């Protein structure tokens, strides 16, 4: 049998730059993402810009110039933190979570799953000093038209979507191809059922119990088309 590591070669690396590493660690060690790390498919580190401050109070934020509410993340600790990661990995792709970024989709996940190294920067409070964006020109990504208090959930979302696409991360090599927005067709997924065969008068569709793999594949394809037509006709355009 081919080992999981030999399918991919070196592990992918993801550095999540966050003031709140503890908000990420449980998630990263659980389920598919946790297993992918233990299997050597990916190495995810949380890096805290606070470690790159040089004042007594380890200041990472300050009041906005021009007044107004909230705090803004300072550019120096972030810049030093990114520079230090890039010292060992100059080609890492730099991503910044932002409500104002391009919407993250399965296409991003697919394309970034082929990168060797990603750095994902999490903002917090009012956001990040704009000079960070001017100097480092990160790809800004949003997880939707909604404002979060910090980028951690967005960074975990992006990491999760990427890691499950790494060869060997899911139990079955074809699982990801049949998911919503995936494969060549980019349809929504078909409905799924498991035991018991009957629950509160609702039965599993007979065809799924037939053992006829051709008929099951045809039914699933019809369901995928029907769902996509009903729920997301824009995907068929
Ligand atoms: N004042 C900013 C919001 C700051 S929210 C604005 O109105 O655009 C603080 C941080 O949370 C952001 O810097 C970003 O890192 C993260 N964040 C908030 N909403 C997000 C979203 N929809 N997608 C990705 N990250 C988001």
């Amino acid at each position: 049998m081919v080992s999981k590591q030999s399918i991919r070669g070196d592990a992918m690396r993801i550095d999540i730059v966050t003031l709140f590493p503890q908000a990420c660690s449980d998630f990263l060690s659980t389920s598919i993402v946790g297993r992918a790390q233990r299997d050597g498919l990916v190495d995810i580190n949380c890096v805290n810009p606070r470690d790159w401050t040089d004042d007594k109070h380890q200041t990472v934020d300050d009041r906005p110039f021009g007044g107004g509410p909230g705090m803004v993340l300072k550019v120096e600790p972030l810049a030093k933190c990114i520079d230090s990661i890039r010292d060992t990995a100059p080609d890492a792709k730099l991503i910044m979570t932002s409500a104002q970024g391009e919407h993250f989709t399965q296409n991003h996940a697919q394309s970034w799953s082929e990168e060797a190294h990603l750095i994902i920067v999490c903002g917090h409070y009012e956001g990040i000093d704009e000079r960070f964006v001017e100097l480092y020109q990160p790809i800004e990504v949003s997880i939707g038209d909604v404002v979060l208090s910090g980028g951690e959930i967005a960074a975990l979302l992006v990491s999760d979507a990427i890691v499950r696409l790494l060869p060997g991360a899911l139990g079955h090599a074809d699982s990801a191809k049949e998911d919503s927005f995936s494969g060549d067709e980019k349809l929504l997924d078909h409905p799924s059922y498991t035991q018991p065969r009957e629950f509160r008068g609702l039965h599993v569709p007979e065809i799924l119990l037939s053992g006829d793999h051709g008929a099951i594949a045809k039914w699933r394809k019809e369901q995928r088309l029907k769902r996509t037509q009903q729920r997301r006709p824009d995907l068929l355009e």
Side-chain angles (χ1 to χ4, degrees), residues 96-100 121-128 141-152 154:
M96 185 181 102
T97 57
S98 163
Q100 302 173 25
V121 178
C122 302
H124 224 88
Y125 314 117
E126 279 306 303
I128 298 174
V141 280
S142 163
I143 62 162
D145 289 348
V146 59
V147 179
L148 304 168
S149 23
E152 286 71 21

Side-chain angles (χ1 to χ4, degrees), residues 3-5 11-12 25-44 163 166-169:
S3 78
K4 284 177 178 170
Q5 240 157 318
M12 177 185 202
S25 48
D26 268 5
F27 180 86
L28 293 172
S29 56
T30 307
S31 185
I32 291 171
V33 177
R35 197 179 56 209
Q37 292 196 79
R38 290 190 290 278
D39 286 348
L41 304 180
V42 62
D43 180 18
I44 309 181
V163 169
L166 298 177

Side-chain angles (χ1 to χ4, degrees), residues 189-208:
D189 201 358
H190 55 74
S192 300
Y193 300 85
T194 183
Q195 301 288 358
R197 292 178 176 213
E198 185 260 315
F199 180 69
R200 296 188 183 170
L202 294 181
H203 293 263
V204 172
E206 205 54 46
I207 189 123
L208 298 177

Side-chain angles (χ1 to χ4, degrees), residues 209-224:
L209 310 173
S210 68
D212 181 342
H213 296 298
I216 293 171
K218 183 162 171 281
W219 181 86
R220 286 182 165 160
K221 176 74 190 283
E222 285 161 8
Q223 293 294 319
R224 297 176 73 211

